[in-house]
């Protein structure tokens, strides 16, 4: 039993390593995703100015050219959720491909900004743990901020992903007039954010417990009641 407890303590002690390298590591990752978001947004006006033949246009992710004897005869569009459909090449214009690129860029920018915020908060969390210890109330606040960030960001990203799928189907479907946009979000990642928020609240309570135990006012009140 004692060996098992020692192993558990050893695993928890790995946090000490994160307190040393976690802050600069996560800040670096946040900087990378921030740069990615900026580059993605810069691509949008550049793509707008591009004027090349359709068969020479760089295709966005989720879109593949179907070739026969080296000639593009159609395009496969993957909209996620295990759904893929194909369209003939002659029905696809340069503007159609650009619309797909715009939607991919916006979705990618939102996702990169979400990751930027989360990694920056993680950097602050481990930096504060190193500076003020694991039971600092500020740690709990940061965990709560991470939970709120995940909830808000996933709400936006989920809506953007649905709009992305709608844009692909609306743009390339042969029955585009029947395609309608239905607003909605994915609840699973939002519930994950709620769970992180609850963990932050419990963390904050745990950080306050030692101060309450150390407070001399409680035993004094108890003695007064006995008198």
């Amino acid at each position: 039993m004692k060996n098992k407890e020692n192993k558990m303590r050893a695993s928890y002690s790995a946090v000490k390593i994160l307190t040393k390298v976690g802050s600069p590591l996560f800040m670096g990752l946040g900087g990378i995703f921030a740069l990615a978001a900026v580059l993605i947004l810069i691509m949008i006006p550049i793509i707008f100015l591009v004027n090349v033949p359709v068969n020479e246009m760089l295709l966005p992710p989720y879109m593949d050219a179907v070739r026969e004897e080296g000639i593009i005869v159609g395009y496969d569009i993957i909209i996620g959720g295990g759904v893929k459909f194909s369209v003939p090449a002659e029905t696809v214009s340069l503007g159609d491909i650009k619309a797909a690129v715009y939607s991919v860029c916006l979705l990618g920018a939102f996702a990169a900004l979400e990751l930027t915020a989360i990694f920056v908060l993680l950097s602050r969390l481990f930096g504060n743990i190193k500076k003020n210890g694991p039971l600092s109330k500020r740690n709990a606040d940061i965990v709560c901020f991470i939970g709120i960030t995940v909830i808000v960001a996933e709400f936006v990203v989920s809506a953007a992903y649905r709009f992305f799928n709608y844009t692909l189907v609306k743009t390339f479907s042969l029955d585009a007039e029947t395609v309608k946009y239905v607003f909605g979000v994915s609840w699973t990642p939002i519930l994950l954010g709620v769970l992180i928020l609850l963990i932050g609240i419990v963390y904050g309570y745990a950080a306050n417990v030692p101060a309450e135990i150390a407070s001399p006012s409680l035993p004094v009140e108890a003695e007064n009641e006995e008198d």
Side-chain angles (χ1 to χ4, degrees):
M1 185 70 178
K2 189 174 181 180
N3 291 334
K4 186 176 180 180
E5 290 179 356
N6 290 335
K7 287 183 179 180
M8 187 177 296
R9 289 172 184 172
S11 64
Y12 288 150
S13 65
V15 175
K16 293 180 180 179
I17 300 175
L18 282 176
T19 59
K20 295 178 180 179
V21 302
S23 183
L25 173 63
F26 288 124
M27 185 59 71
L29 290 173
I32 291 173
F33 282 105
L35 179 61
V38 172
L39 293 177
I40 290 172
L41 292 175
I42 291 175
M43 286 177 58
I44 295 178
I46 295 176
I47 295 297
F48 179 79
L49 298 174
V50 171
N51 187 16
V52 297
V54 177
N55 59 353
E56 296 180 8
M57 181 66 182
L58 181 65
L59 298 178
Y62 308 106
M63 187 174 179
D64 296 318
V66 179
R67 299 177 184 270
E68 291 183 3
E69 298 180 355
I71 301 175
I72 297 177
V73 296
Y75 295 94
D76 288 337
I77 295 94
I78 303 172
I79 62 174
V83 179
K84 180 177 77 172
F85 65 96
S86 301
V87 293
E90 60 269 16
T91 64
V92 177
S93 66
L94 180 62
D96 294 337
I97 298 178
K98 285 186 177 183
V101 173
Y102 296 150
S103 59
V104 170
C105 286
L106 289 176
L107 179 61
F110 283 136
L113 289 173
E114 175 188 4
L115 291 171
T116 297
I118 291 174
F119 281 126
V120 169
L121 287 172
L122 285 173
S123 174
R124 293 180 179 177
L125 173 63
F126 286 103
N128 192 68
I129 291 175
K130 181 179 180 180
K131 181 179 179 181
N132 299 315
L135 293 181
S136 170
K137 298 176 184 178
R138 179 61 179 167
N139 297 337
D141 293 339
I142 296 174
V143 174
C144 289
F145 290 150
I146 293 175
I148 294 172
T149 299
V150 171
I151 294 171
V152 175
E154 283 299 328
F155 186 88
V156 175
V157 171
S158 295
Y161 184 70
R162 282 182 174 243
F163 184 77
F164 162 73
N165 285 342
Y166 162 77
T167 300
L168 291 181
V169 177
K170 181 74 173 178
T171 302
F172 297 103
S173 176
L174 299 179
D175 297 321
E177 65 277 2
T178 64
V179 180
K180 306 295 180 183
Y181 175 70
V182 178
F183 178 81
V185 296
S186 177
W187 289 105
T188 301
I190 292 177
L191 291 176
L192 175 61
V194 172
L195 177 61
I196 295 173
L197 179 60
L198 290 176
I199 292 173
I201 293 173
V202 174
Y203 191 173
Y205 174 76
N208 279 280
V209 167
E212 293 178 359
I213 294 176
S215 175
S217 60
L218 294 179
V220 170
E221 289 178 2
E223 291 177 4
N224 291 338
E225 289 178 1
E226 291 178 0
D227 293 341

